[in-house]
Amino acid sequence: MKSSVLILIAVVAVLLVGGAFAFVFMHDIADVADGGDYGTFNKVADKVDQVTTSDSSSGSSDSGSGSDIISEAIEYNGQNDGGEYREVTYKDGGFRQYDKETGELIGSSYDEDQEKLGVVDGNLE
């Protein structure tokens, strides 16, 4: 009798936790579909993607070091036939952009990165 009560309690607990989990994710998915908040599921998926694609050599200088990162996001690259890039934003307001496929630095607001990008002079005249 005791074991069947424990099993019943365990089943009820699993159903409650699973139901709460499903409710939160379904609510977030509905919000995203309605153009609302970005959603917990997408935030978790982006965080996993950031961890798996993080580039430890990206913080090679003092500015924009790894500990100063405030956000990372995957963005649409309209200049590259619809590809995507990873943009890292730092506490000092600067950013770096990396090719999502290769991890190569493709854009930066830092002066010390401009040489790596092939920019010799900020003057386009």
Side-chain angles (χ1 to χ4, degrees):
M1 181 71 177
K2 266 187 175 179
S3 62
S4 58
V5 170
L6 289 175
I7 291 173
L8 180 64
I9 290 173
V11 168
V12 169
V14 167
L15 288 174
L16 286 174
V17 170
F21 182 78
F23 175 79
V24 168
F25 279 103
M26 292 303 288
H27 185 264
D28 285 345
I29 290 170
D31 281 350
V32 171
D34 291 337
D37 185 23
Y38 192 58
T40 305
F41 179 77
N42 288 331
K43 289 177 186 174
V44 170
D46 279 350
K47 190 55 93 176
V48 168
D49 187 46
Q50 292 166 11
V51 169
T52 59
T53 62
S54 65
D55 181 4
S56 61
S57 65
S58 65
S60 60
S61 63
D62 287 67
S63 57
S65 67
S67 62
D68 292 338
I69 294 173
I70 59 170
S71 70
E72 292 188 38
I74 303 298
E75 302 286 342
Y76 175 76
N77 189 351
Q79 296 178 347
N80 191 20
D81 296 328
E84 292 180 323
Y85 64 92
R86 181 172 57 98
E87 183 169 277
V88 181
T89 306
Y90 300 93
K91 284 183 183 177
D92 63 2
F95 66 88
R96 287 191 173 106
Q97 298 167 332
Y98 300 92
D99 183 277
K100 186 178 173 196
E101 300 298 319
T102 65
E104 178 184 348
L105 183 68
I106 59 171
S108 175
S109 64
Y110 294 105
D111 289 338
E112 63 267 17
D113 290 339
Q114 300 310 307
E115 236 177 60
K116 299 173 195 170
L117 296 170
V119 177
V120 179
D121 186 350
N123 250 340
L124 296 176
E125 296 181 69

